[in-house]
């Protein structure tokens, strides 16, 4: 058993793990997996994905290092077969305090109850617009808004509350839907979070002009329903939370472009094939799979030594280099491999 909690080269502990259970997705959101760049045959062999045994060993190892929060993601995590069985195994791990899932919601209606029964505590659903035609476009022609809304309703009925909704805004694309999304979230008791469009990956053609800064979104909402800043739930929370003064819940803003938060970044990411990424914008991962046969202690001590060398602070550097076009000129891991 590893005894000390590692800190990286900038003094940051490891608290939070985001684990992709599958790289495949049934959507082709243009900011993540543009259909013209990522075909249907892009995925890896099922055998290349970590097995449930390997995932359990991996998570136990990370818990030894201080991880308390685990988020399952993808690709689209609900495409991973027998996901509730995996959730049940992970929910039973001592020391893991929070188990969450991020999904595009398309398959949620069928699976929400089984996930809840298996011990999943929190669900985040990505929802960029309430306009059915635009929704279809923003899923690369593959998604159906009504199906996602019924998935969200099924999750609520299964006992997930509050449900978080993630909206990535793009200038000139879905920014007109801000108030409609907030109205929907307020009426249903969901917590909406607006996420600035990021220069992740290499194929989405990101440019700064497409980013809608959080402050602008907050001002637009504030003009409809006055807002009041809330304290973070915990140190390192990425969303700046605001309460609606009229008592209709809260809304959050994730401002990784306009107000980076690398100083408090306690998060590691692992892809479905067991590569560790110490930053969302990392150019390369560290293969962990071969360590897993040696058990959780070996995994933990290897990850500790990798974490201690970590110096990542990409978003702060990007801001300092104003004018840089980020992903256009750099090598970054693709978002669908590490899940956000
Ligand atoms: N397929 C699931 C989903 O869409 O919720 C989970 C994986 S997806 C990569 C996780 C999150 O990343 C989603 O909320 C998505 O909107 C967000 N995302 C993808 N590309 C992004 C980008 N370029 N900038 C900001 N967020 C992005
Ligand atoms: Fe799929 Fe999620 Fe990426 Fe959209 S954001 S393409 S749903 S992985
Ligand atoms: Fe963390 Fe990297 Fe994002 Fe900075 S850019 S907050 S180090 S993931």
């Amino acid at each position: 058993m590893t005894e000390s909690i590692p800190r990286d080269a900038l003094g940051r502990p490891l608290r939070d793990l985001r684990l992709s259970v599958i790289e495949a997705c049934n959507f082709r959101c243009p900011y993540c997996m543009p259909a013209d760049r990522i075909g249907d045959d892009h995925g890896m062999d099922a055998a290349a994905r970590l097995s449930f045994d390997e995932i359990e060993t991996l998570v136990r190892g990370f818990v030894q290092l201080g991880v308390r929060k685990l988020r399952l993601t993808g690709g689209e995590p609900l495409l991973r077969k027998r996901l509730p069985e995996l959730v049940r195994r992970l929910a039973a791990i001592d020391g893991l305090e929070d188990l969450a899932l991020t999904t595009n919601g398309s398959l949620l209606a069928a699976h929400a109850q089984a996930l809840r029964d298996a011990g999943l505590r929190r669900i985040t659903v990505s929802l960029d617009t309430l306009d059915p035609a635009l929704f279809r476009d923003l899923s690369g022609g593959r998604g159906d808004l009504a199906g996602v809304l019924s998935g969200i309703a099924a999750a609520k009925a299964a006992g997930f509350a509050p449900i978080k909704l993630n909206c990535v805004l793009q200038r000139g694309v879905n920014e007109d839907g801000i108030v409609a999304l907030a109205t929907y979230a307020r009426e249903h008791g969901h917590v909406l979070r607006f996420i600035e469009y990021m220069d992740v990956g290499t194929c989405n053609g990101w440019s700064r002009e497409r980013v809608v800064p959080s402050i602008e979104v907050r001002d637009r909402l504030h003009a409809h329903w006055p807002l009041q800043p809330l304290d973070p739930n915990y140190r390192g929370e990425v969303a700046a939370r605001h309460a609606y003064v009229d008592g209709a819940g809260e809304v959050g803003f994730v401002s990784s472009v306009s107000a980076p938060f690398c100083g408090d970044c306690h998060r590691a990411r692992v892809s479905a094939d067991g590569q560790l990424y110490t930053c969302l914008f990392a150019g390369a991962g560290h293969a962990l799979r071969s360590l897993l046969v040696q058990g959780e202690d070996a995994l933990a001590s290897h990850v500790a030594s990798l974490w201690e060398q970590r110096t990542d602070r990409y978003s702060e550097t990007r801001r300092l280099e104003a004018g840089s076009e980020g992903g256009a000129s750099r090598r970054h891991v693709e978002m669908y491999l590490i899940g956000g």
Side-chain angles (χ1 to χ4, degrees), residues 3 7 19 23 54 96 98 104 224 227 230 239 274 284 300 324:
E3 276 159 23
R7 287 187 175 259
L19 175 68
E23 74 301 335
E54 288 173 314
L96 194 62
D98 189 18
N104 65 26
H224 274 262
L227 292 170
L230 287 170
S324 138

Side-chain angles (χ1 to χ4, degrees), residues 282-297:
H286 306 273
L288 299 181
R289 193 170 202 175
S290 59
L291 269 301
L292 292 170
V293 285
Q294 298 172 41
E296 62 185 79
D297 292 356

Side-chain angles (χ1 to χ4, degrees), residues 10-11 16-17 26 28 38-39 46 49 63 65 93 107 110 141 157 159 204-205 218 262 276 280 299-300 318 333 337:
L10 303 177
D16 193 342
L17 175 63
N26 53 346
R28 285 292 181 276
I38 302 180
R49 297 177 191 135
V63 168
L65 300 177
I93 294 178
L107 304 169
N204 60 14
R218 197 196 61 197
C262 301
L276 167 70
L280 185 52
L299 186 274
R318 175 222 289 123
V333 58
L337 294 177

Side-chain angles (χ1 to χ4, degrees), residues 52-330:
F52 288 1
D53 284 346
E54 288 173 314
I55 290 175
E56 186 179 337
T57 303
L58 180 122
V59 173
R60 287 185 185 279
F62 273 88
V63 168
Q64 281 192 33
L65 300 177
V67 163
R68 296 292 170 263
K69 293 179 55 179
L70 172 64
R71 179 170 294 274
L72 302 178
T73 176
E76 175 43 45
L78 296 186
L79 290 174
R80 178 81 191 237
K81 292 198 176 72
R82 299 182 288 112
L83 187 66
E85 183 185 324
L86 176 64
V87 166
R88 191 174 299 283
R89 289 175 67 164
L90 299 178
I93 294 178
D94 265 353
L96 194 62
E97 292 163 7
D98 189 18
L99 180 54
L101 172 91
T102 301
T103 172
N104 65 26
S106 59
L107 304 169
L108 198 50
H111 297 289
Q113 189 65 57
L115 290 167
R116 183 77 189 172
D117 294 346
L120 188 67
R121 288 285 136 256
R122 299 194 296 119
I123 282 196
T124 300
V125 182
S126 301
L127 184 65
D128 293 338
T129 176
L130 288 169
D131 174 322
L134 183 57
F135 185 91
R136 195 150 188 85
D137 284 354
L138 290 178
S139 61
R142 303 184 183 203
D144 166 43
L145 175 66
V148 171
L149 295 182
S150 53
I152 295 170
K156 188 173 178 184
F160 291 100
I163 293 166
K164 284 200 180 128
L165 303 177
N166 275 357
C167 170
V168 177
L169 283 177
Q170 290 182 72
R171 179 77 75 205
V173 175
N174 59 340
E175 59 180 322
D176 291 347
I178 291 171
V179 169
L181 274 166
T183 303
Y184 166 78
R186 284 164 51 93
E187 284 174 4
H188 290 83
H190 307 320
V191 173
L192 179 61
R193 300 192 311 180
F194 290 101
I195 299 175
E196 288 177 348
Y197 177 32
M198 290 184 284
D199 50 331
V200 283
T202 53
C203 56
N204 60 14
W206 183 88
S207 74
R208 240 169 233 281
E209 291 67 48
R210 296 287 280 279
V211 179
V212 184
S214 293
I215 194 151
E216 185 183 319
V217 188
R218 197 196 61 197
D219 287 351
R220 281 204 231 170
L221 287 178
H222 186 70
H224 274 262
W225 305 281
L227 292 170
Q228 193 171 29
L230 287 170
D231 288 336
N233 281 319
Y234 52 87
R235 179 146 188 228
E237 186 171 39
V238 297
R241 302 165 59 222
H242 286 68
Y244 291 109
V245 172
D246 66 8
E250 65 176 80
V251 59
F253 305 94
V254 181
S255 316
S256 30
V257 178
S258 65
F261 36 77
C262 301
D264 266 340
C265 180
H266 308 148
R267 181 171 297 171
R269 297 170 165 89
V270 175
S271 60
D273 60 351
Q275 298 273 335
L276 167 70
Y277 292 88
T278 56
C279 177
L280 185 52
F281 299 91
H286 306 273
L288 299 181
R289 193 170 202 175
S290 59
L291 269 301
L292 292 170
V293 285
Q294 298 172 41
E296 62 185 79
D297 292 356
L299 186 274
S301 72
H302 183 62
V303 172
S305 67
L306 292 171
W307 189 260
E308 280 161 2
Q309 296 165 43
R310 176 184 190 241
T311 56
D312 303 286
R313 50 189 287 272
Y314 171 80
S315 291
E316 288 181 351
T317 321
R318 175 222 289 123
R319 193 171 64 145
L320 295 175
E321 290 169 5
S324 138
E325 289 307 304
S329 58
R330 291 165 195 264

